[in-house]
Amino acid sequence: MNFRLLIIFLSFVAGNICIAQSNPFAISQAGLDYLTGQALFEKTWVSAPSSTRASDGLGPLYNARSCAQCHENAGRGKPEVALIFRVDDEYYGKQLQTRAVAGLPAETQITISYSSRIEVLSDFDEILLYQPHYQFLDMLTEPFPFSPRLAPSLAGVGVLETIPLTEILAKADPQDGNGDGISGRAGLGRFGWKADVINLEQQTGLALSVDLGISSELFPNPEGDCTALQGDCLSRSNGASGQDQNLEMGQAAFSSLLSFLRNIPLPAINDSNRSSNSGKAVFENIGCMSCHQTGYVQGSINPYSDLLLHDMGNALADTLDDELSKEWRTPPLWGLSAYQQAAEQYYLHDGRARSLLEAILWHGGEAESAKQAFAALSKTDREDLISFLQGI
Ligand code: HEC
Ligand code: HEC
């Protein structure tokens, strides 16, 4: 009822001040879709059967109860909930789920410990870097190939989706034809830390299925990531029967969720002070922009990423896939400004870096020479570069 009043009020105002708008209702409808999508993003799912049929279907296996639990305010997650482990296993499926509905054991519990090493900078400042080590409890098979991945910020994902594929492919240089030591290669798609997901529709379907255990049109199996070998898991009741298209999330809700994702705003850029201006020049001069690129669609889209995969060296490698183990998609750096107030910060694919400085010092492989150049900078230049990053 409130929404209806709001729509009428908005069209009335638009009419009065003569904004040229052919169909004000269409705009309000999009706004409503966004709000519905946001509510779905934040909604806490429960296991079936429950009295609230529209919110049940969680699991049987899951990692969290809502999208927002991992992507807080559509931002980056914290490792304790939002660090997931991709696997490729006959028994465990595509991902390890650390939670399960009542009566069903979760697949594992994971503990993280860190070893540290010292990186010395030009002015003899010493920085500690922490390498994570994982222990998987109660699993049938170990050691286990896996790929840890922390939930990234979703600010601007809708804009990334609109970059024409040809512009991304134009930046790829898989054989390093130009001899700059950097050989970006295109992944299967542009989303995810391995650039293996084509678009937001796929990513949302996948997240619903493997992170929450919710079925939708693209991944219609209500058991989510339970495999044929996990009989106990398959026998649990689900929230699909009797629902729209027998899906735990029907098409209408799914498309509202997408319209929310496509319109998550980017934070305002704050790069106008002296240090961030000079920091931007340093960022360009030492080679950061070979990968953290800008200038798509005639310069209107500037994510600071080429959305390509790069060999980042052994220290960052996972163990899931030999061919791709050292390769990671350049993460977009826009939106970092919104994260700077966070009391604890987590950077890189597994959240191991606790500051921008640490994140940069972990760069290796194709980024080794940029990292060396960074470590050799004067303290002022280094701080200016970081202050530039903090403002974008
Ligand atoms: C358990 C934690 C978790 C939950 C719950 C979760 N995500 Fe994610 N999300 C992640 C992780 C981790 C990644 C990175 C995945 C990868 O790299 O393969 C990710 C990636 C994404 C991306 C791609 C971002 C990019 O820049 O590549 C989108 C979009 C997304 N999630 C949307 C959603 C939506 C929508 C939901 C709810 C249906 C959701 N996520 C639920 C952890 C989570
Ligand atoms: C060869 C390509 C390449 C170059 C050159 C490069 N980066 Fe990166 N950068 C990456 C990739 C890939 C990652 C993600 C690695 C990971 O998560 O394991 C990354 C991650 C980051 C992150 C963390 C982002 C996040 O969301 O957690 C920051 C900050 C960053 N780079 C800054 C820089 C700076 C500053 C420079 C120049 C000194 C630089 N990068 C040079 C490819 C590159």
Side-chain angles (χ1 to χ4, degrees):
M1 196 53 173
N2 277 342
F3 282 137
R4 209 192 195 109
L5 284 174
L6 184 69
I7 295 164
I8 295 164
F9 176 69
L10 285 178
S11 13
F12 174 74
V13 171
N16 260 355
I17 54 172
C18 298
I19 293 173
Q21 196 170 274
S22 54
N23 182 359
F25 183 76
I27 299 211
S28 304
Q29 191 56 48
L32 272 186
D33 236 20
Y34 177 89
L35 292 175
T36 313
Q38 183 172 30
L40 286 163
F41 188 83
E42 286 162 6
K43 160 169 157 158
T44 301
W45 293 84
V46 297
S47 53
S50 83
S51 53
T52 43
R53 291 306 318 274
S55 296
D56 72 9
L58 180 72
L61 294 167
Y62 60 94
N63 290 95
R65 288 175 177 269
S66 69
C67 307
Q69 229 184 321
C70 289
H71 303 279
E72 278 174 62
N73 296 318
R76 260 165 220 266
K78 297 194 177 83
E80 46 281 26
V81 236
L83 183 63
I84 55 113
F85 291 78
R86 285 283 154 76
V87 295
D88 181 10
D89 186 73
E90 215 187 352
Y91 186 85
Y92 291 107
K94 296 199 262 281
Q95 186 166 309
L96 298 179
Q97 280 84 21
T98 49
R99 293 179 173 79
V101 297
L104 184 74
E107 289 183 329
T108 182
Q109 298 303 325
I110 299 155
T111 56
I112 312 178
S113 57
Y114 295 91
S115 57
S116 62
R117 69 178 171 84
I118 295 173
E119 189 84 20
V120 185
L121 303 177
S122 63
D123 48 6
F124 305 107
D125 261 7
E126 293 185 352
I127 309 296
L128 276 180
L129 298 182
Y130 300 89
Q131 174 98 41
H133 305 280
Y134 303 103
Q135 212 190 345
F136 301 92
L137 305 177
D138 305 324
M139 290 191 66
L140 297 178
T141 38
E142 223 179 338
F144 211 80
F146 64 88
S147 182
R149 302 185 191 177
L150 184 66
S153 163
L154 304 182
V157 287
V159 183
L160 293 180
E161 197 178 38
T162 65
I163 297 175
L165 185 58
T166 47
E167 292 198 28
I168 299 174
L169 296 178
K171 295 187 192 294
D173 182 15
Q175 308 304 330
D176 191 17
N178 65 5
D180 66 353
I182 294 181
S183 59
R185 40 189 205 108
L188 296 171
R190 66 184 69 179
F191 292 108
W193 286 102
K194 295 280 184 184
D196 52 2
V197 178
I198 301 166
N199 55 29
L200 293 175
E201 200 179 346
Q202 288 282 339
Q203 178 73 47
T204 302
L206 182 69
L208 284 167
S209 177
V210 300
D211 297 335
L212 303 171
I214 300 290
S215 56
S216 64
E217 199 169 35
L218 290 175
F219 294 82
N221 171 14
E223 285 86 25
D225 197 32
C226 302
T227 62
L229 299 178
Q230 294 174 302
D232 197 10
C233 180
L234 290 175
S235 68
R236 300 290 152 152
S237 59
N238 61 64
S241 57
Q243 297 288 29
D244 183 18
Q245 301 157 286
N246 276 343
L247 296 170
E248 289 161 335
M249 184 183 281
Q251 264 312 96
F254 190 92
S255 63
S256 300
L257 184 53
L258 268 183
S259 92
F260 167 67
L261 288 176
R262 293 200 167 118
N263 293 292
I264 297 170
L266 276 164
I269 291 179
N270 172 17
D271 65 352
S272 51
N273 59 38
R274 187 215 58 82
S275 60
S276 67
N277 262 326
S278 96
K280 184 174 191 177
V282 178
F283 185 78
E284 285 178 23
N285 290 340
I286 64 173
C288 306
M289 287 194 78
S290 315
C291 302
H292 295 283
Q293 295 200 26
T294 55
Y296 301 89
V297 191
Q298 278 106 43
S300 64
I301 302 181
N302 300 305
Y304 293 96
S305 170
D306 55 9
L307 302 173
L308 298 172
L309 293 170
H310 297 276
D311 177 336
M312 293 298 285
N314 289 324
L316 287 171
D318 65 26
T319 56
L320 184 55
D321 182 329
D322 276 351
E323 218 178 289
L324 279 185
S325 65
K326 289 192 258 182
E327 308 248 335
W328 300 99
R329 178 193 75 163
T330 310
L333 300 179
W334 63 8
L336 283 178
S337 60
Y339 192 54
Q340 301 311 309
Q341 309 316 322
E344 282 160 353
Q345 303 184 2
Y346 303 95
Y347 296 100
L348 300 176
H349 69 271
D350 51 11
R352 69 175 69 187
R354 293 148 202 224
S355 65
L356 290 165
L357 180 62
E358 285 181 31
I360 300 166
L361 294 173
W362 274 111
H363 282 55
E366 292 170 38
E368 181 67 32
S369 65
K371 184 209 99 175
Q372 297 289 352
F374 175 81
L377 289 174
S378 70
K379 197 176 180 94
T380 319
D381 281 352
R382 228 165 47 222
E383 285 173 355
D384 286 356
L385 187 153
I386 302 246
S387 110
F388 159 67
L389 293 179
Q390 286 169 334
I392 56 178

